[in-house]
Amino acid sequence: MTVENRVPILIEEAISRVMEHKREGEKEYVSIYHCNGRYLSEDIKAIHDVPKFNRSSYDGFALRAKDTNGASYEMPVEFEIIDEIGAGQVSTKKIGEYQAIRIMTGAMLPRDADAVIMLEKTVERKKNGQTYIKIDHMLHKGENISFQGEDVKKGEVLLKKGTKINPGVVAVLATFGIEQVPVAKKPTIGLFATGTELLEVHEELEEGKIRNSNAYMILAQIERAGAVPRYFGKLPDVMEISFEAIRQKIDSVDMLITTGGVSVGDYDLLPEIYRKLGAEVLFNKIAMRPGSVTTVANLNGKLLFGLSGNPSACYVGFELFTNPIIKSLLFIENPRLPIVDAVLKENFPDANSFTRLIRSRVSIVNGKIETRTSGMDKSNIVSSLASANGLTILPGGESGYKCGDIVKVILLEEVQNQLLL
């Protein structure tokens, strides 16, 4: 096998080459009962004002504010109660001078009323079978009223395309009677794990073999990104078998991921498979650690992601290159994971010519974002992934980094809300 001459490119260049191939996702409708966690495929606009009418903010009495002029503790003003409005009810009575209507929270305000006094701020009494209240202070026009459209105006964009649906979003959808919700169709991502040495999770360990942790990790990452994973199983280090398996499955998915087989060893078959498929290789070497051999190819508009066989390199490659493409298919305006400044809490004295992406534990301490390693920083290490919630970026150069330096950190999805950024 001929060893390829690979020239490393910068991470940003690699990401740009991948994102040049992003395309519009597909739309579908799902019931509001099953939309949580999905992504909106179009803007949601208000079809009416909210509130739709002027309504009371409290249980109390609706009246005309001008009738309370001069009211004081020494000289309270008395009002006659002429009607009662429960939630969902409407009064047709006309409020006259020194008259009031008892009203419940959320009920529609009578058309002649312009203020509401809270129930607990009145003194009620009966006289000749009629109910009266005494008010010992002046009210302002509009007091304790929720006005039509003060929350949302008709035609206003409530939720933008690409918004992830959560319980609050569901409440908005329900408010406007959207039972069938327009969402992005989840893309289907195929996955092969390459390597004769791999065992599946249920198989007993054998001498010289390892369990296939990468496949299950990537399946979970695909789901977390919002797509549907399809695991096609393991491929042996046999060219014709691997080529034919990949060729048969490509048309059934929106994109295809393979783990392992992208380096330059005798059993690294993916470079030859890409050539045989006629795929255009976008890059096959990146100036980064881990995952420098991450390879991405384009086959007739379909992306093929050749991720490293080392677990941490595989994980990082997915988050940097595959995740943003999936997010773009979900109509997300900014599909890349967020990057923030953080205080480095460990020393990295050794220089490295490649940019390092350190699996990290990111936290807020005394109002500042801090980052430290989540475990051993080697590309074949699995344990450090379990507690990682960020990737600390240490650009390549002639010197290392010391504790206290300000560095950039890529936030993984689990930490974004925790940091309240």
Side-chain angles (χ1 to χ4, degrees):
M1 180 178 289
T2 302
V3 176
E4 290 186 307
N5 181 24
R6 299 187 175 193
V7 179
I9 64 173
L10 297 176
I11 295 173
E12 283 300 321
E13 173 64 19
I15 293 172
S16 295
R17 291 186 188 184
V18 172
M19 296 309 289
E20 285 175 3
H21 294 270
K22 71 178 181 180
R23 53 189 169 84
E24 186 86 341
E26 297 182 37
K27 302 178 182 180
E28 64 180 0
Y29 287 84
V30 299
S31 167
I32 193 171
Y33 294 103
H34 305 116
C35 71
N36 191 43
R38 301 292 295 271
Y39 293 83
L40 291 172
S41 62
E42 59 187 56
D43 292 347
I44 300 297
K45 294 183 179 181
I47 57 174
H48 57 72
D49 292 340
V50 178
K52 200 173 181 181
F53 45 79
N54 294 341
R55 63 188 184 187
S56 177
S57 300
Y58 298 97
D59 290 345
F61 298 92
L63 44 76
R64 304 186 312 180
K66 65 181 182 181
D67 292 334
T68 67
N69 288 344
S72 66
Y73 184 78
E74 292 79 15
M75 295 285 292
V77 178
E78 190 171 71
F79 286 77
E80 178 188 10
I81 306 306
I82 61 171
D83 200 5
E84 181 173 314
I85 309 172
Q89 298 178 340
V90 177
S91 175
T92 59
K93 296 264 181 94
K94 180 178 175 63
I95 294 178
E97 188 176 20
Y98 301 112
Q99 290 183 327
I101 293 177
R102 184 160 185 167
I103 192 168
M104 304 305 168
T105 303
M108 182 173 174
L109 201 71
R111 67 174 179 272
D112 297 307
D114 59 14
V116 171
I117 185 167
M118 290 188 286
L119 186 66
E120 58 267 31
K121 293 190 175 182
T122 63
V123 176
E124 190 174 313
R125 73 183 186 90
K126 296 278 188 181
K127 183 169 65 176
N128 299 325
Q130 180 62 38
T131 302
Y132 295 85
I133 57 168
K134 285 186 177 182
I135 298 175
D136 61 8
H137 63 280
M138 294 172 57
L139 295 178
H140 301 291
K141 189 175 181 179
E143 193 165 339
N144 298 325
I145 293 174
S146 295
F147 289 99
Q148 179 176 344
E150 73 174 11
D151 185 359
V152 175
K153 295 286 188 185
K154 182 179 179 180
E156 182 180 339
V157 175
L158 303 167
L159 303 163
K160 291 188 70 66
K161 179 171 66 175
T163 297
K164 186 174 184 179
I165 299 173
N166 60 28
V169 171
V170 172
V172 172
L173 296 171
T175 296
F176 291 94
I178 302 173
E179 196 279 329
Q180 289 296 313
V181 183
V183 298
K185 184 178 180 181
K186 293 183 178 183
T188 301
I189 317 298
L191 173 64
F192 278 110
T194 71
T196 302
E197 78 279 11
L198 298 178
L199 297 171
E200 294 295 15
V201 67
H202 60 276
E203 296 179 305
E204 290 293 327
L205 281 177
E206 301 175 22
E207 193 79 14
K209 296 199 173 187
I210 59 173
R211 287 206 177 93
N212 179 19
S213 62
N214 280 356
Y216 301 98
M217 174 182 73
I218 291 293
L219 292 172
Q221 286 177 279
I222 291 170
E223 284 192 335
R224 181 173 70 181
V228 177
R230 289 186 63 189
Y231 181 40
F232 297 133
K234 300 177 297 181
L235 294 177
D237 296 321
V238 179
M239 178 64 192
E240 288 306 318
I241 294 175
S242 295
F243 170 78
E244 191 58 29
I246 289 173
R247 188 189 66 80
Q248 289 181 6
K249 294 298 185 182
I250 281 178
D251 290 340
S252 67
V253 294
D254 295 300
M255 62 188 81
L256 184 73
I257 297 174
T258 53
T259 65
V262 288
S263 192
V264 292
D266 289 343
Y267 295 105
D268 292 310
L269 305 177
L270 265 300
E272 181 61 28
I273 289 174
Y274 291 149
R275 279 192 287 270
K276 196 168 180 179
L277 287 169
E280 171 202 8
V281 175
L282 305 184
F283 53 82
N284 57 17
K285 184 80 169 177
I286 310 168
M288 73 178 196
R289 297 277 191 260
S292 64
V293 297
T294 301
T295 303
V296 180
N298 170 42
L299 180 63
N300 302 322
K302 186 168 295 186
L303 290 176
L304 313 177
F305 293 89
L307 303 182
S308 172
N310 282 321
S312 292
C314 182
Y315 182 96
V316 169
F318 178 93
E319 296 300 336
L320 287 184
F321 307 112
T322 315
N323 191 344
I325 278 289
I326 293 173
K327 289 295 197 296
S328 68
L329 289 169
L330 300 174
F331 300 93
I332 295 172
E333 186 176 359
N334 298 309
R336 293 177 62 177
L337 293 172
I339 298 177
V340 299
D341 290 329
V343 180
L344 186 64
K345 299 304 291 182
E346 294 181 49
N347 292 316
F348 289 85
D350 297 331
N352 197 307
S353 59
F354 282 8
T355 293
R356 285 172 287 177
L357 295 148
I358 311 297
R359 283 137 284 157
S360 304
R361 192 69 193 167
V362 186
S363 58
I364 291 182
V365 179
N366 297 325
K368 293 184 178 180
I369 303 175
E370 296 183 351
T371 182
R372 51 176 47 83
T373 56
S374 58
M376 186 178 292
D377 185 48
K378 294 177 68 175
S379 63
N380 64 321
I381 297 297
V382 176
S383 58
S384 60
L385 290 170
S387 58
N389 59 10
L391 300 172
T392 299
I393 304 171
L394 300 182
E398 297 180 354
S399 61
Y401 293 83
K402 62 183 183 298
C403 182
D405 286 347
I406 303 299
V407 294
K408 301 289 185 184
V409 178
I410 300 171
L411 298 183
L412 301 175
E413 291 180 271
E414 292 87 343
V415 76
Q416 292 176 40
N417 291 333
Q418 296 171 19
L419 291 180
L420 302 176
L421 297 172

